[in-house]
């Protein structure tokens, strides 16, 4: 019997599949959610006749932002609307499309457990559960993602006291204090900082790369929507996969010009230095807020 563990935030969904413990030794494996890719971008494209879930929406966020429904998950239950062409979606409708897409990937399973963002309130968790049930998931339950992170890490990195779980998605930087005991875990305090979300970091990298391109070629890739989108997509890959792991190479190409850009890890770090300092300030303030809750034994 197979079970699914799903990790969901404003930016993407990831999943693993495994058997129940009684069925013997089994290593859970990643489950492709978007073609052969492990991650499904939580985005909806409004460009075509039918809304498309996944990378098509992300590929429009700079080229045609009015046709991209992205980072909608935190607005579940709100009245915010994304309109493009003949389409008009709120967060609940976008989530319903995502749930249907995921059900096609999940298939028949004995049950699904979901880790939801720490900034989700009880009402939003209930709305998510309703959307999953309408999509015919066998939803067993959900937990705040900081609990899942702390539980997974504690087996490999034992500590005493509370853990601070730091997460970044398209909506915000989120800090959560988690208490871990022998037989229970509990979220003690959460601070959500939207101004330090993933988009802020990508924006700093995008502007820095554009300035480098201007110095080398006197051309600004942000002046053409297609070129800006291409640069944004490459920087998103660098941020997700290669940050701090060697030189990042970016290629910009239009019908009229071509430019090759290189950034060392230290140069990327320098571009984001102001955001790093703001994050340090937020962390120091958060540590002061949770000081009375016990000693901090780990940052995850």
């Amino acid at each position: 019997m197979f079970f699914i563990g799903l990790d969901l935030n404003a930016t993407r969904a990831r999943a693993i599949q495994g058997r129940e413990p009684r069925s013997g030794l089994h290593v859970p494996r990643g489950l492709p959610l978007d073609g052969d890719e492990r991650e499904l971008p939580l985005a909806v494209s409004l460009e075509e006749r039918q809304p498309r879930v996944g990378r098509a929406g992300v590929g429009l966020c700079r080229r045609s932002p009015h046709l991209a429904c992205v980072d909608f998950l935190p607005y579940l239950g709100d009245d915010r609307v994304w309109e493009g062409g003949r389409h008009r979606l709120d967060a609940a409708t976008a989530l319903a499309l995502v749930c249907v897409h995921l059900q096609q990937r999940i298939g028949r399973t004995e049950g699904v457990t979901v880790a939801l963002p720490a900034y989700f309130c009880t009402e939003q968790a209930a709305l998510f559960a309703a959307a999953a049930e309408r999509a015919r998931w066998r939803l067993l339950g959900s937990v705040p993602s900081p609990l899942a992170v702390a539980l997974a890490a504690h087996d490999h990195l034992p500590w005493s006291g509370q853990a601070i779980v730091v997460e970044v998605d398209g909506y915000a930087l989120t800090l959560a204090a988690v208490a871990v005991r022998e037989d229970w875990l509990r979220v003690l305090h959460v601070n959500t900082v939207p101004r330090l979300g993933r988009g802020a970091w990508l924006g700093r990298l995008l502007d820095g790369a554009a300035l480098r391109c201007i110095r080398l070629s006197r051309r600004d890739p942000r002046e053409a929507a297609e070129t800006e989108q291409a640069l944004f997509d490459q920087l998103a890959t660098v941020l997700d996969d290669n940050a701090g792991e060697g030189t990042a190479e970016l290629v910009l190409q239009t019908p009229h010009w071509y430019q090759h850009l290189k950034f060392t890890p230290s140069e990327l770090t320098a571009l984001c230095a102001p955001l790093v300092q703001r994050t340090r300030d937020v962390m120091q303030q958060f540590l002061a807020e949770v000081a009375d809750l016990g000693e901090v034994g780990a940052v995850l």
Side-chain angles (χ1 to χ4, degrees):
M1 295 184 179
F2 282 95
F3 293 84
I4 302 293
L6 185 68
D7 178 21
L8 196 69
N9 66 26
T11 301
R12 51 91 189 117
R14 298 185 300 196
I16 58 171
Q17 177 179 270
R19 293 192 180 96
E20 61 177 327
R22 289 179 298 178
S23 63
L25 182 62
H26 177 73
V27 178
R29 62 180 180 87
L31 188 65
L33 298 179
D34 189 20
D36 294 330
E37 299 293 329
R38 287 276 307 276
E39 291 193 354
L40 171 71
L42 235 64
V44 181
S45 167
L46 308 180
E47 185 177 35
E48 300 177 11
R49 186 179 184 87
Q50 297 295 329
R52 291 179 58 194
V53 173
R55 300 183 186 281
V58 178
L60 293 170
C61 63
R62 291 282 172 166
R63 178 166 62 87
S64 301
H66 62 291
L67 297 176
C69 177
V70 297
D71 297 332
F72 59 83
L73 192 63
Y75 301 98
L76 189 60
D78 290 354
D79 56 3
R80 179 171 176 176
V81 172
W82 288 260
E83 294 185 82
R86 65 179 66 192
H87 304 297
R88 190 174 189 274
L89 305 181
D90 60 9
T93 307
L95 177 62
L97 293 171
V98 170
C99 286
V100 170
H101 176 95
L102 288 173
Q103 174 57 29
Q104 294 170 353
R105 289 292 180 170
I106 291 171
R108 299 186 62 182
T109 179
E110 291 302 311
V112 181
T113 302
V114 183
L116 294 173
Y119 49 73
F120 249 39
C121 65
T122 303
E123 292 76 11
Q124 288 175 310
L127 289 172
F128 171 81
E133 290 175 3
R134 285 194 294 272
R136 299 187 178 182
W137 293 19
R138 293 186 176 183
L139 186 64
L140 301 179
S142 64
V143 297
S145 60
L147 293 186
V149 170
L151 181 61
H154 197 259
D155 290 339
H156 304 284
L157 180 70
W159 68 84
S160 59
Q162 59 179 318
I164 305 300
V165 179
V166 185
E167 299 181 277
V168 180
D169 65 5
Y171 174 62
L173 169 78
T174 304
L175 306 176
V178 179
V180 182
R181 301 292 185 265
E182 292 183 358
D183 56 350
W184 58 265
L185 295 88
R186 179 178 300 164
V187 176
L188 303 176
H189 187 58
V190 175
N191 185 18
T192 303
V193 189
R195 71 179 185 277
L196 290 173
R198 185 171 178 270
W201 302 83
L202 278 169
R204 290 287 305 185
L205 295 176
L206 181 67
D207 290 341
L211 290 175
R212 171 75 62 83
C213 186
I214 292 170
R215 286 196 297 269
L216 293 173
S217 68
R218 298 185 181 180
R219 296 183 176 93
D220 188 343
R222 296 167 298 186
E223 293 180 350
E226 292 283 355
T227 311
E228 181 177 358
Q229 182 69 57
L231 180 57
F232 181 85
D233 292 342
Q234 292 176 72
L235 288 169
T237 300
V238 169
L239 191 64
D240 291 339
D241 298 337
N242 301 320
E245 298 180 3
T247 301
E249 300 194 27
L250 311 173
V251 175
L252 300 176
Q253 187 169 4
T254 76
H256 307 291
W257 59 273
Y258 171 93
Q259 187 64 52
H260 184 203
L261 303 176
K262 291 185 179 182
F263 288 90
T264 65
S266 61
E267 289 174 325
L268 295 176
T269 299
L271 290 176
C272 292
L275 297 182
V276 173
Q277 184 57 53
R278 291 178 206 167
T279 302
R280 286 168 58 92
D281 294 342
V282 168
M283 174 65 85
Q284 291 298 327
Q285 180 181 352
F286 187 77
L287 291 174
E289 293 171 356
V290 301
D292 293 339
L293 301 178
E295 180 182 359
V296 174
V299 177
L300 309 173

